[in-house]
Amino acid sequence: MLRLNRSPDRLAKSSEPHLQVQGVTYCYGNTAALTDINLTLYPGERVALIGPSGAGKSTLLKLLNGTLTPTTGTVSVLGVPLADPNPRRRRALQQQIGTVYQQFHLVENLRVIHNVNAGQLGRWPWYQALWSLVWPQGIETARQALARVGLPDKLYSRTDRLSGGEQQRVAIARILVQDPAILLADEPISNLDPARSHEVMTLLTHCGQGKTLIMSLHALEFAQTYCERLVGLREGKIFFDGLVTAITPQQITQLYRLEP
Amino acid sequence: MKFPLPDWVRPVGIWSGVVLLYVWASWGLNLDLDLISASWPYMVDFVSRLFPPDLTVLDIAWRALIETIQMSLWGTTLGAVLSLPVALASARNLAPTWLVLPANLLQNAIRSVPSIVLGLFFVAATGLGAPAGTLALGIYSIGYLAKFYQEAFESVDARSLESLRVTGASWLQVAQYGVLPQVLSLVSGYTLYMFEYNIRAASVLGIVGAGGIGFELVNYIRSFEYPKATTMMLVLLVVVTVIDGISSRLRRQLEK
Ligand SMILES: Nc1ncnc2c1ncn2[C@@H]1O[C@H](COP(=O)(O)OP(=O)(O)OP(=O)(O)O)[C@@H](O)[C@H]1O
Ligand SMILES: [Mg+2]
């Protein structure tokens, strides 16, 4: 019953963009890192954000998850502006966005299960979250998530005792538990060897099925293999935006060229 | 526009500054070598009258000592509980800017009140004895613990906090999952250290009648019963050493 009631609504929603960036400029102090960015992401899209160092990829992703607020312009998530002055509503929106970082950014001296459970924090009241640190909650959910990333027996290990590749998979397990509609990843594989990189990319694209995925990548071949849309960023502006098949090698060369 | 200075200017400038500072400070001391040599016999006399210690007052020492430890335990705990919110409000990475400045000002204000003055204040409020000392220690501890805690909070890895915040976690949850685990060992280590320090501070508070072993110590010195005062100091020495040993072992455990 409930499903039947909800499905038309969800179908209607699915044609709406998941993420919408409109006329966004961002300045660190007086220097603009991004100027007049317009970008629309539809549900289920897999987008690679590429471009030279300093182009503004990390800045754009931070604007998309609400860590930074645009100097001008708006970022909307699921049709709602992210810069909601009401913290409760903003947090509810942030629950729908999962972020994976290059340096993992886990809390190193917590056990793995708590780092995974951090994905639940948006849903748990504070006393349940606190109690879970003493008496772990949601063990089954965490165990399943860890099993999906291939770390079923690391539930109670200390996070800083894991290797870089394992920590990255813990970060992905956190996102699995969070179960957001949109997945952001900032250079998720630049610290991993090629085999682990393929593993992580497969995980991200698989667990991101049905979700909108946007990740910044330095490795072009990964971008072309795992994503269907490329957004090239150069000096804070969108240089190109199109399907992988439509972007020419000349455009790529131009994107990374050294002279202005 | 900056213009380049030769390399030697900075070190020479800094060192002459340091020398000047010491010369200036020595003026205030009125150093007088004759006075020092003339005072030597008095020092020897004072020290010789401290020995041998009079061990007949050991039981009094023991009781006063237990009171001192009890005062320190409660005083430190009170200080720790009060320091947490002050430190949270002072931490630049956790509190809003408008709160950081007044909270730091409060810390400095508390730190600049000598423990003796706090002791006098609470003796006036609650009368002679241990309650006054405990309260004085509690407030005195805030000045130091809040600063230590604040520094522990500010050393927390900001990126791990960011990664929690973007999942939609509230401020309180970021504190639970990000700050707490990263500061727990430092904060408990500092608190233990403060407990240890307060046992010594409590004996100073005895001077103004705020209970504990310092009270007995001062009484014996006032009535010229130096050997008995020595016993008090010896007992204090033993206890401070033992507690220092225990707490440094505990702190090492915490750091693991
Ligand atoms: N916190 C900051 N304060 C001031 N300037 C910053 C800050 N972070 C980034 N910038 C500047 O903003 C611009 C874009 O930086 P950003 O980190 O978004 O680039 P990026 O594309 O992610 O680069 P990389 O590929 O090296 O990670 C750069 O010129 C950088 O110097
Ligand atoms: Mg970057």
Side-chain angles (χ1 to χ4, degrees):
Chain A
M1 270 306 285
L2 208 72
R3 267 222 177 134
L4 275 176
N5 277 342
R6 281 186 57 175
S7 52
D9 183 44
R10 282 173 73 176
L11 275 177
K13 275 246 168 70
S14 70
S15 56
E16 269 176 31
H18 260 173
L19 261 176
Q20 201 160 20
V21 180
Q22 288 164 304
V24 162
T25 295
Y26 187 83
C27 305
Y28 290 106
N30 284 327
T31 48
L34 291 173
T35 34
D36 195 28
I37 301 288
N38 289 288
L39 191 64
T40 306
L41 268 61
Y42 290 94
E45 271 195 303
R46 288 193 303 244
V47 182
L49 199 56
I50 59 173
S53 267
K57 302 182 294 292
S58 300
T59 307
L60 180 56
L61 290 172
K62 282 182 190 164
L63 287 162
L64 295 182
N65 71 15
T67 304
L68 300 176
T69 312
T71 311
T72 59
T74 54
V75 174
S76 304
V77 175
L78 307 172
V80 186
L82 189 54
D84 198 314
N86 178 331
R88 195 178 292 268
R89 272 201 304 253
R90 191 175 57 238
R91 292 207 318 263
L93 216 50
Q94 280 182 310
Q95 266 176 60
Q96 292 305 320
I97 313 165
T99 311
V100 176
Y101 294 91
Q102 174 185 11
Q103 302 286 353
F104 329 132
H105 295 190
L106 300 167
V107 183
E108 297 206 326
N109 45 11
L110 273 184
R111 294 181 191 286
V112 166
I113 181 166
H114 300 305
N115 266 307
V116 174
N117 276 344
Q120 304 255 34
L121 290 181
R123 284 188 289 269
W124 282 356
W126 68 269
Y127 47 87
Q128 187 181 1
L130 186 62
W131 178 235
S132 176
L133 287 174
V134 185
W135 192 269
Q137 307 282 297
I139 297 178
E140 219 19 70
T141 316
R143 197 196 300 281
Q144 279 170 16
L146 282 170
R148 273 187 71 187
V149 299
L151 297 171
D153 50 347
K154 298 285 190 194
L155 209 53
Y156 295 104
S157 307
R158 269 217 8 188
T159 307
D160 53 4
R161 309 260 156 85
L162 302 183
S163 74
E166 288 169 332
Q167 289 191 27
Q168 188 61 297
R169 286 188 276 167
V170 172
I172 294 174
R174 177 192 282 183
I175 302 295
L176 285 175
V177 165
Q178 188 185 341
D179 192 26
I182 300 155
L183 234 154
L184 315 179
D186 193 2
E187 295 179 29
I189 55 170
S190 60
N191 281 327
L192 307 178
D193 66 53
R196 306 258 156 357
S197 297
H198 278 290
E199 253 178 41
V200 164
M201 288 299 283
T202 311
L203 270 170
L204 281 175
T205 43
H206 272 235
C207 76
Q209 247 166 13
K211 302 183 196 306
T212 308
L213 181 62
I214 175 165
M215 55 177 131
S216 76
L217 289 169
H218 272 303
L220 202 60
E221 64 280 13
F222 282 93
Q224 289 163 331
T225 313
Y226 289 93
C227 301
E228 65 244 10
R229 179 172 161 197
L230 290 183
V231 173
L233 214 56
R234 183 180 168 87
E235 290 166 359
K237 297 194 182 73
I238 293 193
F239 191 67
F240 57 68
D241 177 0
L243 294 179
V244 169
T245 45
I247 306 290
T248 62
Q250 287 81 352
Q251 282 177 298
I252 302 279
T253 319
Q254 282 293 307
L255 178 71
Y256 287 104
R257 77 187 186 277
L258 286 177
E259 79 278 11
Chain B
M1 193 60 204
K2 281 185 182 173
F3 54 93
L5 286 171
D7 279 350
W8 55 266
V9 170
R10 258 174 69 93
V12 167
I14 289 170
W15 281 111
S16 18
V18 171
V19 169
L20 276 176
L21 184 69
Y22 274 92
V23 170
W24 168 79
S26 65
W27 286 340
L29 298 179
N30 285 323
L31 281 179
D32 183 347
L33 288 179
D34 287 344
L35 189 71
I36 290 175
S37 57
S39 62
W40 183 243
Y42 294 98
M43 294 193 219
V44 173
D45 178 55
F46 186 94
V47 171
S48 71
R49 277 196 283 157
L50 287 172
F51 290 98
D54 178 355
L55 295 180
T56 57
V57 291
L58 255 184
D59 58 327
I60 296 178
W62 185 242
R63 244 181 296 124
L65 189 72
I66 291 195
E67 192 180 61
T68 301
I69 294 176
Q70 289 165 332
M71 280 166 60
S72 176
L73 182 66
W74 276 106
T76 312
T77 309
L78 179 71
V81 168
L82 294 176
S83 294
L84 273 178
V86 177
L88 272 177
S90 319
R92 265 164 266 277
N93 56 339
L94 299 175
T97 329
W98 58 265
L99 199 57
V100 168
L101 198 68
N104 273 287
L105 215 63
L106 175 69
Q107 272 191 41
N108 290 337
I110 295 174
R111 223 182 349 266
S112 57
V113 182
S115 56
I116 293 265
V117 174
L118 286 171
L120 281 170
F121 174 76
F122 284 110
V123 165
T126 68
L128 291 178
T134 309
L135 290 174
L137 286 181
I139 302 301
Y140 180 70
S141 303
I142 297 176
Y144 294 89
L145 283 182
K147 185 100 225 143
F148 291 152
Y149 292 177
Q150 177 196 344
E151 270 167 17
F153 292 156
E154 285 178 347
S155 69
V156 164
D157 176 26
R159 301 171 313 174
S160 63
L161 301 189
E162 183 192 311
S163 81
L164 290 172
R165 239 173 246 135
V166 298
T167 64
S170 66
W171 184 89
L172 195 59
Q173 289 172 325
V174 172
Q176 291 165 354
Y177 275 70
V179 182
L180 182 72
Q182 296 188 63
V183 302
L184 194 59
S185 71
L186 264 181
V187 159
S188 1
Y190 287 142
T191 313
L192 262 175
Y193 178 76
M194 197 70 214
F195 168 66
E196 208 185 304
Y197 181 87
N198 274 344
I199 288 181
R200 275 165 284 165
S203 49
V204 174
L205 283 176
I207 296 173
V208 294
I213 197 163
F215 189 57
E216 308 293 338
L217 181 64
V218 168
N219 280 345
Y220 287 132
I221 289 186
R222 284 211 184 108
S223 55
F224 303 106
E225 295 173 279
Y226 288 164
K228 289 179 181 167
T230 312
T231 309
M232 299 294 145
M233 286 191 275
L234 283 179
V235 168
L236 196 60
L237 173 72
V238 171
V239 166
V240 166
T241 312
V242 169
I243 288 184
D244 177 55
I246 296 173
S247 84
S248 63
R249 183 167 303 174
L250 270 175
R251 265 181 277 141
R252 233 173 295 134
Q253 283 287 324
L254 283 170
E255 271 156 30
K256 273 183 197 157

